[in-house]
Amino acid sequence: MPEGKLCNRKPINTEEYLQEVLSDTGGKQYYAEMEELDVDVPKLQAALKNTLKSRTKTWLDMCAHCGLCADACFLYEVNGKDPRQVPAYKIQSTLGEIVKRNGEVDNEFMRHCMDVAWSQCTCCNRCGHYCPHGIDMGVMFSYLRGLLFSQGFVPWELKIGSGMHRVYKAQMNVTTEDWVETCEWMADEYSDDWPGLEIPVDKVGADIMYTCNAREPKHYPEDIAEAAILFHLAGENWTVPSEGWEQTSLTMFAGDWEGCTMQVNNVYAAIERLKPKRVFGTECGHAHRASAIEGPYWAGRPDGQPPAPFRHYVEWVAEALREGKIKIDPAKRIKRPVTLQDSCNYVRNWGLGSITREIISYLVEPGYFIDMAPNREHNYCCGGGGGFNGVGKYRPQRNVALRKKRDQILATGAELVIAPCHNCWDAIRDLEEEYHIGIEWSFLKPLLIEMAIVPDHLKPRDE
Amino acid sequence: MYELLTGPMLWLAFTVSVVGLALRIVMYIRGLDWKLDRVAYRPHMGAGLKGAFRSILAFIVPFANRSWRTKPGFTIMFFAFHIGLLGVPLFLEGHAVILKERFGIGWPAMSMAAADLLTIVTLVAAGFMCLRRLVLPEVRIVTDIRDWAVMIISIAPFVTGYVAVHQYGDYGFWLNAHIITGLIWIAALPFTKLFHVVGFFLSRAQLGMDFGIKRGGMNYEGFHW
């Protein structure tokens, strides 16, 4: 059978097709069809010819097989140092093999590649820092995911995720209307406690345009309210766009490059329409990577820059604290053991290690912050990155992957983990559910609101 | 035979090597693609070169990065091997004499004793590296025939040279064997994993540019390798 009804080489571009795939609970039929899916060899060969250039070719060819990447990989370590989890082996035995055979591979091999690409690598890029030749296997796995996606060999949830972005311009079915209504509702809901609280939509020329993660309007709208309260406290001139507010990219996890381009263009169109001085995204690592780091390239911008400076939320927080726009009540500073989770996507890939620790210096009483080991650029992935959290088929592997972070947190003795990244936050929540180590976890926003000094003129008047 | 080897064959090996490596460097750089690699090389050349330089420096200096520091034993072995591998052929007295006689180039040379010691250090380090390939599961699984070939090509001139110098066998035979294996090493540079003599710099520079330009280098201090 060449292609299935649900599992095929066509991306999801219509609501109808999206609903069909969604209604296949757990992807049962989808994965059954995948076992029959033919490999389009000429298409694969053409993709290799057009996209496998100097860098990747050299990386594959020049690997000295020294094994230094092994200990760099948290998945190798948590899986009992299984040599099949050595990054060099993982990539050479999948992408390397496809290249060696010039795309002459069969269905079974492609399914094996899918398992490796989505359950044995979170694209955290840590191995790239330990390789003497500078071979970044995370980047190569991302490339492999692209090849697999174009052939239809992609986990069910990520096929859906890519479809969501294509159909709704968001990773979840949140429409423009839903979004704007949520903003109005939140501003209204919190205005008793915060007189004058607004969530300005489509204000042209603001200092800040704020973008977020579709899960916030869908599942935790209070996160949007918290962002609004903090901007309100800091006296920022800010806005959210009615279109282009969603900055996440399951398309990136899926290897759907065309979808990535569509997704990021939507955000950039909002920047061009509203002309803000700067853009700040929410506490999300991959969304930052998709819209600020890789995004400009998907959008075909030759200078590699978004239309306006695009920063991560922690950069705004650090600035607001540094400049005294938000003042922390010293009496409310955290006085219990606390640690910080560095998100791969902005620590390794955007250099924010010092910025987050600057925030910590304001929020935590000296002596109570314990860094994980290793940390900053060398920190380990939470275990749920790269889409790993979202794929049911690989849940058992993901639960094993959480052990690295579990052990890192346990070694700090912290009671609270600050995790300014959605995927990390989820992974830490899941590891608590799975392993019951007795920790709490939090984004920055609720902590800041709890600790900030509220100026009198912003306080509610007693009736 | 000696005349043939040190005359036309020497020129041939060097020509093949230099031309081959130059072509590969040109091909590598021409094959970089800002859109596919997702690195805006040209518009941010300054930041890119800074990142490239930092990235190369971090790995060419022993213990200058976390990867070297986490594996001190390997690092010492690895640097001993490479220092000997490049140092002995470059500064051997016998080689300097040839340079002087043929081309009139004055070249610094190390003492015979130093060359002997460095040769032994190189061979011992090579032995350890081979042992790693056999013993450590994480290295064994990625090792293939090409890795062994590269190792044999690299140490053959040392073994033959050592035997020739110390006259353990027929001097003429071992000297020719030394020259032949040396020429094989030189000619193999562009065609085998030995390409890393230049590839190391290219690949490290590319990743350094990636970090210098795209992954935070233009906003914050450079990456702490």
Side-chain angles (χ1 to χ4, degrees):
Chain A
M1 187 185 80
E3 292 192 77
K5 189 157 132 321
L6 306 181
C7 181
N8 52 46
R9 289 186 287 276
K10 291 183 283 288
I12 298 175
N13 283 318
T14 65
E15 204 162 354
E16 185 192 9
Y17 179 21
L18 181 61
Q19 283 309 324
E20 269 179 43
V21 181
L22 260 174
S23 61
D24 173 30
T25 313
K28 222 171 144 175
Q29 185 190 333
Y30 176 88
Y31 286 122
E33 285 178 4
M34 190 183 284
E35 295 191 15
E36 307 292 323
L37 180 64
D38 285 339
V39 182
D40 184 345
V41 174
K43 185 182 176 181
L44 190 52
Q45 288 173 334
L48 290 172
K49 192 166 173 283
N50 295 327
T51 60
L52 189 89
K53 305 279 184 196
S54 280
R55 181 179 66 169
T56 316
K57 249 193 217 138
T58 307
W59 275 349
L60 284 171
D61 186 54
M62 210 174 66
C63 172
H65 297 159
C66 71
L68 283 192
C69 54
D71 288 335
C73 179
F74 81 107
L75 289 165
Y76 167 77
E77 297 213 318
V78 295
N79 285 290
K81 303 210 166 196
D82 179 346
R84 284 167 308 178
Q85 287 276 4
V86 173
Y89 175 77
K90 287 187 273 200
I91 198 71
Q92 304 257 346
S93 62
T94 51
L95 177 63
E97 204 55 36
I98 291 174
V99 173
K100 212 185 284 176
R101 298 192 217 165
N102 189 24
E104 300 275 0
V105 290
D106 60 11
N107 169 292
E108 195 185 351
F109 185 77
M110 289 295 266
R111 280 186 291 118
H112 164 71
C113 287
M114 178 181 87
D115 289 343
V116 178
W118 277 283
S119 77
Q120 294 185 20
C121 176
T122 61
C123 302
C124 82
N125 305 101
R126 194 173 189 268
C127 51
H129 309 334
Y130 289 78
C131 169
H133 286 163
I135 299 171
D136 193 327
M137 284 146 280
V139 170
M140 280 203 277
F141 264 113
S142 185
Y143 174 76
L144 174 63
R145 287 178 177 197
L147 294 179
L148 292 164
F149 180 87
S150 70
Q151 293 284 334
F153 293 90
V154 58
W156 176 70
E157 292 87 347
L158 291 173
K159 175 96 176 185
I160 292 167
S162 126
M164 286 281 181
H165 282 283
R166 286 164 170 269
V167 174
Y168 294 104
K169 297 180 180 158
Q171 64 160 276
M172 290 181 180
N173 52 354
V174 179
T175 63
T176 301
E177 230 170 38
D178 295 338
W179 160 249
V180 173
E181 271 176 20
T182 305
C183 290
E184 287 166 0
W185 167 44
M186 281 297 119
D188 188 50
E189 185 81 6
Y190 284 80
S191 60
D192 286 354
D193 296 338
W194 302 92
L197 182 72
E198 281 184 322
I199 301 185
V201 179
D202 283 343
K203 187 165 145 190
V204 176
D207 292 338
I208 293 174
M209 179 178 111
Y210 179 69
T211 56
C212 71
N213 176 325
R215 288 167 54 199
E216 291 161 2
K218 183 94 181 167
H219 296 301
Y220 336 105
E222 63 277 11
D223 196 288
I224 300 160
E226 287 162 354
I229 290 163
L230 289 163
F231 285 141
H232 179 64
L233 263 176
E236 294 284 18
N237 166 17
W238 71 295
T239 186
V240 293
S242 58
E243 280 277 354
W245 52 271
E246 153 71 313
Q247 65 158 147
T248 68
S249 188
L250 294 186
T251 39
M252 177 169 81
F253 290 159
D256 173 10
W257 310 132
E258 187 190 30
C260 287
T261 302
M262 289 160 75
Q263 166 58 40
V264 79
N265 277 340
N266 201 36
V267 178
Y268 289 179
I271 300 174
E272 276 158 352
R273 196 174 67 243
L274 301 182
K275 302 183 179 56
K277 288 199 182 70
R278 293 185 296 170
V279 187
F280 283 98
T282 188
E283 294 174 74
C284 184
H286 94 273
H288 180 72
R289 190 163 178 183
S291 37
I293 307 173
E294 315 289 356
Y297 297 95
W298 291 327
R301 301 176 66 88
D303 65 349
Q305 303 297 314
F310 206 128
R311 304 291 190 183
H312 190 272
Y313 195 73
V314 298
E315 296 176 271
W316 178 78
V317 172
E319 186 185 285
L321 293 168
R322 198 184 307 137
E323 296 177 3
K325 289 181 196 169
I326 291 179
K327 291 190 175 70
I328 298 296
D329 181 347
K332 291 184 178 168
R333 282 161 62 124
I334 300 171
K335 295 181 190 60
R336 55 183 181 141
V338 58
T339 189
L340 168 77
Q341 162 63 6
D342 289 303
S343 158
C344 305
N345 281 319
Y346 66 70
V347 162
R348 248 192 286 291
N349 291 290
W350 193 245
L352 293 186
S354 299
I355 291 287
T356 38
R357 280 156 187 82
E358 185 185 350
I359 296 170
I360 292 287
S361 73
Y362 289 93
L363 304 189
V364 182
E365 195 74 15
Y368 288 95
F369 174 65
I370 312 106
D371 232 327
M372 288 185 208
N375 54 52
R376 300 191 185 218
E377 291 104 324
H378 295 281
N379 190 23
Y380 289 107
C381 168
C382 59
F388 212 176
N389 271 340
V391 180
K393 185 178 165 73
Y394 303 132
R395 184 45 55 114
Q397 292 92 318
R398 201 286 315 251
N399 287 347
V400 171
L402 297 174
R403 292 177 192 167
K404 192 69 184 180
K405 192 52 56 186
R406 176 196 67 186
D407 296 345
Q408 270 190 296
I409 294 169
L410 281 172
T412 65
E415 294 168 17
L416 172 68
V417 184
I418 299 175
C421 167
H422 269 275
N423 254 317
C424 299
W425 191 96
D426 281 354
I428 291 161
R429 177 201 57 204
D430 287 2
L431 82 82
E432 177 57 32
E433 271 180 23
E434 186 70 17
Y435 299 109
H436 311 292
I437 61 172
I439 47 161
E440 289 170 45
W441 57 96
S442 179
F443 286 116
L444 280 166
K445 296 182 193 93
L447 298 173
L448 286 160
I449 290 174
E450 211 171 300
M451 287 185 239
I453 296 171
V454 182
D456 286 344
H457 71 280
L458 294 181
K459 284 178 181 162
R461 294 213 183 108
D462 293 329
E463 297 300 325
Chain B
M1 181 74 169
Y2 176 80
E3 295 306 320
L4 173 75
L5 288 176
T6 55
M9 293 311 275
L10 183 80
W11 281 108
L12 181 68
F14 268 101
T15 308
V16 164
S17 188
V18 171
V19 172
L21 287 176
L23 274 176
R24 282 202 68 175
I25 293 170
V26 170
M27 275 160 54
Y28 179 88
I29 294 169
R30 286 188 53 178
L32 290 175
D33 183 313
W34 73 271
K35 232 176 157 169
L36 287 172
D37 303 346
R38 301 206 293 263
V39 181
Y41 300 108
R42 277 179 205 278
H44 308 293
M45 202 45 97
L49 290 175
K50 190 177 149 204
F53 184 73
R54 290 183 82 255
S55 155
I56 290 169
L57 206 65
F59 277 81
I60 211 157
V61 177
F63 302 107
N65 64 63
R66 201 187 147 94
S67 189
W68 291 151
R69 287 191 295 270
T70 52
K71 298 260 190 269
F74 174 82
T75 303
I76 291 166
M77 193 169 68
F78 173 90
F79 277 96
F81 176 73
H82 279 89
I83 290 165
L85 211 58
L86 296 174
V88 174
L90 275 175
F91 302 111
L92 188 80
E93 228 168 343
H95 292 181
V97 166
I98 294 173
L99 277 174
K100 187 83 189 156
E101 282 177 359
R102 293 273 173 101
F103 308 103
I105 301 171
W107 192 257
M110 61 171 88
S111 71
M112 204 59 215
D116 268 356
L117 180 70
L118 209 45
T119 298
I120 288 165
V121 166
T122 306
L123 291 174
V124 169
F128 273 111
M129 285 164 88
C130 291
L131 202 62
R132 264 185 98 245
R133 290 212 178 280
L134 294 168
V135 173
L136 298 179
E138 75 269 25
V139 192
R140 204 168 53 215
I141 194 167
V142 283
T143 297
D144 62 27
I145 188 81
R146 290 169 65 204
D147 301 310
W148 293 111
V150 164
M151 185 53 101
I152 289 163
I153 290 172
S154 301
I155 61 172
F158 281 74
V159 175
T160 51
Y162 193 83
V163 173
V165 166
H166 293 275
Q167 312 218 354
Y168 293 140
D170 171 15
Y171 178 74
F173 169 82
W174 285 103
L175 182 66
N176 285 339
H178 172 66
I179 298 165
I180 290 167
T181 51
L183 296 183
I184 289 172
W185 184 83
I186 291 162
L189 292 176
F191 307 107
T192 60
K193 286 199 183 198
L194 291 170
F195 168 67
H196 75 259
V197 298
V198 295
F200 163 85
F201 295 94
L202 295 172
S203 183
R204 279 242 68 89
Q206 193 283 325
L207 192 71
M209 287 181 102
D210 189 337
F211 278 96
I213 292 167
K214 181 177 76 172
R215 303 200 216 177
M218 299 207 304
N219 307 315
Y220 299 97
E221 74 250 47
F223 193 85
H224 298 284
W225 300 100

